[in-house]
Structure formats: C-alpha cells, structure tokens
C-alpha cells in the first residue's frame, strides 16, 4: 500500500465506477482557474480594497494583503499534508471528521455548505443589480435585478451539469479577461514609476504603514478576499494525479491570489498618491459607488472606453464566482449523500459524471436564499450581498480553524506523516492567525456587513447554529456511507471510510 494514499479495490481511474466523480479531468491550471474565479478578482479589488483603505490602514492596505497571504499559506501547509492522505469532494468536513470525529465533521459539513451557498447568494445579489443597471444604461430597458438572477441560475445549472471541463473552459475566459485588465493597469503604473507621489514602496509596506490606522480592519477584508482558495481539495477526485496536482494547485493559488491583491492594491495606492488615497477611498464610499475608486484611475490610464468595459467585466467576474461556488456546493452535497448524511439520491451522476441532482438541489437552495429579498423589496447590494458575504467569510474562517486543529490531531494520532513543520508548527501558527482573524471579524462584523448591530448579531449566530445542527443530524443519522471506489486515506492506522478513526472512538 502506498504510504500516502490508499485506494479501494476499484481502480481510481475507472470513470464508470458508480458514485464517483469523473477522474483525470483537471490539471493544475484547471483547478487554479476554478479557485481564481471563486475569488472574483475584479469584485474583490473593486469591493474590498476601497473599504480596507478608507477605514483600515490607508496606504498600508497592500501590506495587509501580504499578511493575509502568510496566514493562508501557513494554513495551506497542513491542509496540503492532509490532502495527501484524504482525497474526497467533501474536503473540509472530511478532513475535520478524520481528526475531530464524525459529529464534528458533519457539523462542519453544514457550515461549509452554508458558507458556499451564502457567498453564492451574495454574488447573485450584486450580479443581478449590476446586470440590471447595465441593461438599463445601454438598452434603456428596466428589468428587476431578480429576473436576471433567476435567468442566470438556469444558465449556471446547465453549465454545472455539462461537465467539469466545460465549466473550466468558461471560467478560464472570464478570469483571464478581468485579470488581464487589472494586471496590465498595475504593470503600466509600475513601469511609469507610479502616480503623482511615485511608487511609494515604504508608504505601503513599511512597518509604520502596515500598523497605522486600523490594521485589523484591513486584515479582515484582505482575508475575506481570499475566500475560495481551499476549493483545490474539493476537485481532488477529478484531478489528474491528485497527490501532486492538488498541492501544486493549492500553493500556486495562494501565491497568485496574494501577489495579485497585494500588487494591484499597491498600484492603486500609488495611482491616487499615498497621502491622498484614504480620502479618495472615503469619498468613493460616501458617494455610494466604491468601484469608482478603482475604475477612475484605470479609465484615466487607458481612456474612456475602459469605463464602459469595466462594469461588464464586473458582471462576468461575478458570474464566474457564482459558477465556481455552484460547483463547490454541489460537490459537498454529492459527498454528503455518498456518506449517508443526506439522501443517497444526491449521488446521481449524469453521463458527463457531473452530480446533476446535487446541482439542482444547490440551485433550489440559491432560489430559497435570494427570492425572499426580492419579495420583500430589499436592496440586493446593501442587504443580500453585504449580509451573506459577511456571514460566509465568518463561516469559512471557522472551517479553516477547525481544519488546522484536525490536521494536528490526525497526524499526532496516526503518525501518517512525521514532518514537524508540516503537521504541527505550521498548522499551529495558521490556527493562531485564523483565530485572530475570527476575533477581528466578530469585533468588526457590523462594518463588514454594512448594517446595524442587531442584524450583525443574528447573522453571526447563524454560523454556530448551523454547526450545532449538523452535529445533531450526525447523531441522529448514523447510517453507513455508500460504498464507492474512491481514494480516501493514506495509512493502515486509519479506517477506510470517509471519516476517521476518531469516529470509531466516538461511536463506541
């Protein structure tokens, strides 16, 4: 038996095996584009950077993105080590279950599904508002935002059921488009020597710059912008040589996302001028159009035509993110059905080996989350987008923390990997960094969602409530997992089910 990944008697390359996602479908770049699309780069830059600068640490915001990248990288080291021993579309909950037991793993599954569906619903809100405004502006036809959202749900469902390769191709086009214009702007600004005050390296990356103002707020928004990188492990079953592909894709994703946000935000600071950037960002927020802080210098650099292109790219950026989170969520539903925690019907695959039933259920969940805001006449940006983005980030940070703890426990118990840095030191440091981030999010949650304290409180409480509900469901449904030929674990000391030996101890 391979010391790192054990497989069931069924061949890992037999795509006809019942209950298995299509293997050998994605390489490093394919997975990378799914991750980058989930990041929605233009949305992250246009939405988060102005806030991080205005109410965070001003010109020092780029340093916050580097710090966030370090925290995520430390988390990733243990995450990748676990991924070499556990390959499953459930990723987070499978990892947590291996280390902390079936009940905790199942509770985390509910949190993961909640996080992905919430952030997708948030994106639907902003997407619907953006498309409605674009059509109104260019065609003079007003159609309510929720109509465009429902139409897009049908398209997303179709693409999700068309196979992972089709989704990867669509996302590649959209991600390259939004990345290209931002990177070209940043590079042109760099080679021109920066804006009115020069490049201002010290103004953005010195210790003084990083710690000025409210660095905790900037770090919170920086970490929030990285949500979605962990999707690399979700596609492990569909990856070519997952033991190599998933680690490479994970580290590459962290490096690319960190570098992109730090570099682009730095060039935006430079374009406005370090001494003026906080005021400029504040004016953009006060005007109700935070994107103007980003779009204005890009338009000034390349001409007025860019002002027409950028809103369209914002819409495609959101669409790419919506599709990516649809794929992530339906794979969670598929995996939960396979483990017996949800109805077995969720494991149904179409001829393209896509979990089509899980996809339909995910779309129904999206409708259930989005439509109440339409029926009640709520602003899709100020409520749906802001509220669900905040709660999704909080849920994701809880998952990161539990995963880091599970990694430490799993390797201490099984001895499957004895590398101290990978299985103890880095996960501990990552857990501490994530715990600090959770504290910052809770303390500044009202700011994060742009709402009132009462709304912030009940939104925060939904996360532990979902975790507890998942634990209760696990206690009540102790059905055996569906037997499939999927790679799951990498040590004889670990049982061959999707959850770990801690479950055996827990269930005695």
């Amino acid at each position: 038996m391979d010391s790192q990944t054990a497989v069931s008697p069924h061949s890992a390359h037999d795509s006809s095996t019942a209950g298995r996602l299509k293997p050998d479908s994605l390489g490093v770049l394919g997975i990378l584009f799914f991750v980058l699309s989930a990041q929605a780069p233009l949305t992250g830059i246009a939405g988060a950077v102005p806030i991080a600068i205005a109410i965070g640490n001003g010109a020092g915001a780029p340093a916050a993105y580097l710090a966030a990248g370090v925290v995520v990288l430390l988390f990733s080291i243990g995450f990748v080590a676990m991924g070499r021993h556990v390959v499953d579309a459930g990723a987070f909950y499978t990892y947590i279950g291996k280390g902390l037991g079936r009940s905790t793993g199942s509770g985390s599954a509910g949190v993961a599904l909640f996080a992905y569906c919430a952030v997708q619903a948030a994106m639907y809100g902003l997407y619907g508002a953006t498309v409605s405004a674009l059509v109104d502006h260019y065609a003079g036809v007003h159609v309510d935002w929720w109509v465009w959202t429902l139409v897009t749900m049908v398209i997303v469902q179709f693409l999700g059921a068309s196979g992972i390769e089709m989704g990867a191709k669509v996302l590649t086009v959209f991600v390259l488009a939004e990345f290209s214009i931002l990177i070209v702007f940043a590079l042109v600004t760099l080679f021109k020597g920066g804006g009115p005050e020069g490049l201002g390296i010290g103004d953005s990356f010195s210790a003084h710059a990083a710690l000025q103002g409210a660095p905790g707020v900037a770090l919170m928004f920086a970490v929030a912008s990285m949500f979605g990188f962990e999707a690399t492990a979700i596609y492990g079953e569909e990856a070519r040589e997952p033991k190599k592909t998933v680690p490479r894709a994970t580290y590459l994703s962290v490096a690319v996302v960190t570098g992109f946000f730090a570099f682009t935000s730095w060039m935006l600071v430079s374009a406005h001028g370090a001494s003026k950037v906080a005021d400029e960002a504040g004016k953009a927020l006060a005007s109700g159009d935070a994107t103007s802080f980003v779009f204005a210098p890009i338009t000034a650099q390349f001409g007025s035509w860019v002002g027409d292109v950028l809103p369209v790219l914002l819409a495609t950026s959101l669409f790419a993110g919506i599709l990516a989170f649809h794929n992530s969520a339906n794979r969670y539903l598929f995996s939960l059905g396979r483990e017996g925690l949800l109805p077995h019907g969720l494991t149904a695959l179409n001829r393209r080996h896509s979990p089509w039933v899980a996809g339909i259920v995910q779309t129904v969940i999206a409708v259930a989350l989005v439509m109440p805001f339409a029926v009640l006449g709520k602003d899709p940006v100020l409520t749906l987008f802001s509220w669900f983005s905040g709660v999704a980030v909080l849920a994701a940070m809880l998952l990161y923390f539990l995963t880091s703890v599970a990694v430490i426990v799993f390797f201490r118990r099984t001895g499957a990997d004895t590398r101290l840095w990978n299985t103890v030191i880095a996960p501990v440091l990552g857990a501490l960094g994530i715990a600090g981030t959770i504290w910052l999010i809770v303390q500044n949650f009202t700011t994060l969602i742009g709402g009132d304290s009462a709304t912030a409180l009940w939104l925060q409480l939904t996360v532990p409530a979902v975790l507890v509900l998942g634990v209760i469901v696990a206690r009540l449904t102790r059905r055996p997992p569906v037997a499939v030929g999927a790679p799951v674990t990498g040590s004889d000391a670990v049982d061959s089910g999707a959850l770990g030996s801690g479950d055996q101890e827990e269930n005695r």
Side-chain angles (χ1 to χ4, degrees), residues 60-315:
Y65 282 97
L66 285 183
V70 171
V71 171
V72 171
L73 179 61
L74 289 169
F75 165 81
S76 299
I77 293 171
F79 186 69
V80 165
M82 193 73 159
R84 294 183 184 277
H85 298 265
V86 184
V87 180
D88 188 272
F92 272 139
Y93 92 83
T94 313
Y95 293 3
I96 293 169
K98 282 287 185 184
L100 304 181
R102 180 179 187 271
S103 294
T104 306
S106 299
S108 68
V111 175
L113 188 59
F114 178 55
Y116 286 131
C117 289
V119 74
Q120 187 206 41
M123 286 181 161
Y124 270 127
L126 182 56
Y127 172 86
T130 301
V131 173
S132 179
L134 284 172
V135 173
D136 193 4
H137 177 73
Y138 290 107
V141 178
H142 176 73
V143 180
D144 286 339
W145 66 271
W146 58 267
V147 176
W148 296 113
T149 296
L150 290 177
V151 170
T152 302
M153 286 180 183
V154 175
I155 298 172
V156 167
Q157 173 62 35
F158 170 77
L159 290 174
S162 296
I164 197 70
E165 299 99 329
M166 174 64 75
K169 292 174 183 176
V170 172
L171 294 178
T172 298
V173 173
F174 288 156
V175 169
L176 284 176
E178 58 183 301
F179 248 78
S180 296
I181 197 163
L182 290 170
I183 288 297
V184 170
F185 159 75
L187 289 173
V188 169
T189 303
L190 176 68
F191 291 129
K192 281 187 172 182
E197 300 174 21
L199 291 174
I201 298 176
D203 293 324
S204 290
F205 296 106
S206 67
H208 172 72
L211 297 175
Q212 67 184 344
V217 174
L219 180 63
M220 176 183 68
F221 280 96
V223 172
S225 299
M226 304 209 176
F227 178 32
F229 82 93
E230 72 289 336
T232 53
I234 294 175
Y235 298 105
E237 287 186 39
E238 296 160 282
R240 293 188 288 272
E241 297 185 275
K243 286 197 298 179
K244 295 180 180 178
T245 300
V246 172
R248 289 171 182 171
T250 302
Y251 288 133
L252 183 59
S253 298
V254 174
V256 169
V257 170
T258 301
F260 170 78
F261 277 102
F263 179 50
T264 306
S265 61
W266 174 33
M267 289 301 99
L268 283 170
V269 170
S270 177
H272 285 282
S275 65
K276 302 176 183 177
V277 70
D279 290 337
E280 292 296 324
K283 290 177 183 177
L285 293 180
S287 72
D289 181 17
T291 62
S292 63
F293 173 82
V294 175
F295 291 178
I298 298 177
T299 301
Q301 189 78 263
F302 299 121
S304 59
W305 66 272
V306 178
D308 295 325
V309 172
L310 284 171
V312 176
L313 288 180
L314 178 60

Side-chain angles (χ1 to χ4, degrees), residues 277-503:
V277 70
D279 290 337
E280 292 296 324
K283 290 177 183 177
L285 293 180
S287 72
D289 181 17
T291 62
S292 63
F293 173 82
V294 175
F295 291 178
I298 298 177
T299 301
Q301 189 78 263
F302 299 121
S304 59
W305 66 272
V306 178
D308 295 325
V309 172
L310 284 171
V312 176
L313 288 180
L314 178 60
T316 59
S317 171
L318 288 162
F319 180 86
I322 287 167
L323 179 57
F325 283 115
H326 171 80
N327 284 323
S328 296
N330 69 29
R331 277 153 180 77
Y332 260 92
L333 288 166
F334 167 84
S335 187
L336 288 169
R338 193 167 63 183
E339 299 307 326
L341 292 170
L342 289 177
H344 177 52
L346 291 169
T347 65
L349 301 174
N350 61 20
R351 62 186 180 86
R352 296 181 180 275
H353 276 257
S354 293
W356 67 277
V357 174
I360 291 174
V361 171
Q362 197 285 315
T363 299
V364 170
I365 293 172
V367 172
L369 290 175
V370 169
M371 288 312 294
F373 289 84
V375 172
L376 296 174
K378 297 292 186 180
D379 187 293
V381 178
L382 298 179
T383 56
L384 178 56
F385 176 71
S386 298
W387 293 2
F388 280 1
S389 293
V391 77
V393 169
L394 180 59
M397 291 303 107
L398 176 60
L399 289 171
Y400 294 174
F401 179 77
L402 290 175
T403 301
S404 293
V405 175
V407 167
I408 298 167
V409 174
F410 173 79
F411 287 115
R412 290 310 92 197
R413 186 179 66 235
T414 66
D417 190 331
T418 58
R419 294 174 297 174
L420 196 63
W421 169 253
N422 297 69
T423 63
V424 179
I425 298 175
V428 166
L429 293 175
L432 291 174
I434 292 164
T437 303
I438 291 174
W439 182 81
L440 289 172
I441 290 174
V442 171
Q443 292 295 311
N444 298 281
F445 200 74
T446 303
T447 301
L448 183 61
I449 67 167
D452 57 78
S453 57
T455 301
L457 178 60
W458 72 258
L459 283 173
Q460 290 178 78
L461 291 176
T462 60
V463 177
V466 170
L467 179 65
V468 171
L469 180 62
V471 171
I472 293 173
V473 170
R475 295 285 186 179
L476 297 176
T477 58
R478 293 186 180 277
R479 291 176 290 171
V482 179
V484 293
V488 285
T489 181
S491 171
D492 291 333
V494 184
D495 82 283
S496 61
L499 298 177
S501 59
D503 311 325

